[in-house]
Amino acid sequence: MTHFHNVKTYLLGLMIVVGLIAQSKSIHAQQFETLTVAGGCFWCVEADFEKVDGVVEAVSGFSGGTVENPTYKQVVNGGTGHIEAVQITYDPNTVTTATLLSMFFRSVDPTDAGGQFCDRGYSYTTAIFAAPSQIDAANAAKARAQADLGQTVVTPVLTASEFYPADAGHQDYYKQSSLVLTRFGPKSKANAYKAYREACGRDERVRELWGSAAPFAGS
């Protein structure tokens, strides 16, 4: 009986520990928040924000349109109303919404209403898709960016709408090893991304605008 009692006590204790761990994970997961921003090429925005301490993940996709589950081709061809966007999941105990918004403005050209860098057209424009609790912070970040630049910031603060993730081939593009054909010949997606980012002049323009305040230029 003593042996059985000890085993029973051990199993009960183990179940309690497992339950506490599961509860802790659940509570921690519930603390995560999301912020959706559009900053031109979503490969670049995703690559930038995945480097930020406190960001759990960044997902490339589309937001702001009227067509359900749009494809990449549909969006860039126009007509769906979507723009390329990135949904950032983060731990607000490590990085604040205000910090992410400040970093966002300083990683793009918020004075350009026609696209971003070498990518032109509506689907490459900037925007913040703010949840109701984020609107004040987004507007404040926009006002600070405009004051710091001394130029009109055209990036709109929009009410958050449905976010549609892009297909797997566009996720983590900057670190994929699969080959794609480029004008320079076959390259891994990671190397094609680096070549694209440099040729597009993204970091050069961001440094021109923001100087040392640019958090990702050259990354």
Side-chain angles (χ1 to χ4, degrees):
M1 282 294 291
T2 302
H3 176 70
F4 175 76
H5 177 75
N6 289 340
V7 170
K8 187 176 179 181
T9 302
Y10 171 78
L11 290 175
L12 179 61
L14 184 61
M15 289 173 64
I16 291 172
V17 170
V18 170
L20 289 173
I21 291 173
Q23 184 181 30
S24 174
K25 286 183 177 179
S26 176
I27 291 171
H28 188 63
Q30 291 171 10
Q31 292 175 341
F32 292 161
E33 295 181 9
T34 61
L35 172 67
T36 303
V37 296
C41 170
F42 51 24
W43 300 338
C44 298
V45 180
E46 179 188 355
D48 286 344
F49 279 93
E50 284 194 340
K51 297 178 177 71
V52 177
D53 188 30
V55 169
V56 178
E57 67 172 348
V59 177
S60 290
F62 316 103
S63 199
T66 56
V67 175
E68 292 186 6
N69 298 308
T71 65
Y72 177 80
K73 189 172 183 179
Q74 284 178 310
V75 172
V76 298
N77 284 344
T80 71
H82 293 90
I83 57 179
E84 290 196 11
V86 171
Q87 189 170 79
I88 303 163
T89 300
Y90 61 100
D91 184 347
N93 294 312
T94 304
V95 61
T96 66
T97 305
T99 296
L100 291 174
L101 288 165
S102 177
M103 296 175 85
F104 165 70
F105 274 111
R106 287 154 186 78
S107 66
V108 297
D109 180 354
T111 69
D112 188 349
Q116 284 292 284
F117 317 108
C118 67
D119 294 315
R120 312 312 301 164
Y122 177 74
S123 64
Y124 293 107
T125 55
T126 61
I128 297 169
F129 295 96
S133 62
Q134 297 170 334
I135 290 175
D136 287 346
N139 284 322
K142 179 177 178 177
R144 282 195 298 273
Q146 185 160 289
D148 288 350
L149 277 182
Q151 301 180 51
T152 300
V153 168
V154 299
T155 303
V157 175
L158 305 173
T159 302
S161 58
E162 189 74 28
F163 174 82
Y164 296 99
D167 63 75
H170 287 291
Q171 306 300 335
D172 292 324
Y173 196 94
Y174 71 102
K175 50 187 181 183
Q176 289 190 39
S177 59
S178 55
L179 292 178
V180 290
L181 186 61
T182 73
R183 59 178 175 167
F184 306 108
K187 285 182 176 290
S188 69
K189 285 185 175 180
N191 286 332
Y193 164 77
K194 290 177 184 177
Y196 154 78
R197 183 163 180 147
E198 182 176 354
C200 201
R202 186 182 187 99
D203 295 321
E204 182 181 3
R205 176 59 176 157
V206 168
R207 279 193 294 263
E208 180 185 335
L209 280 170
W210 296 105
S212 60
F216 307 120
S219 63

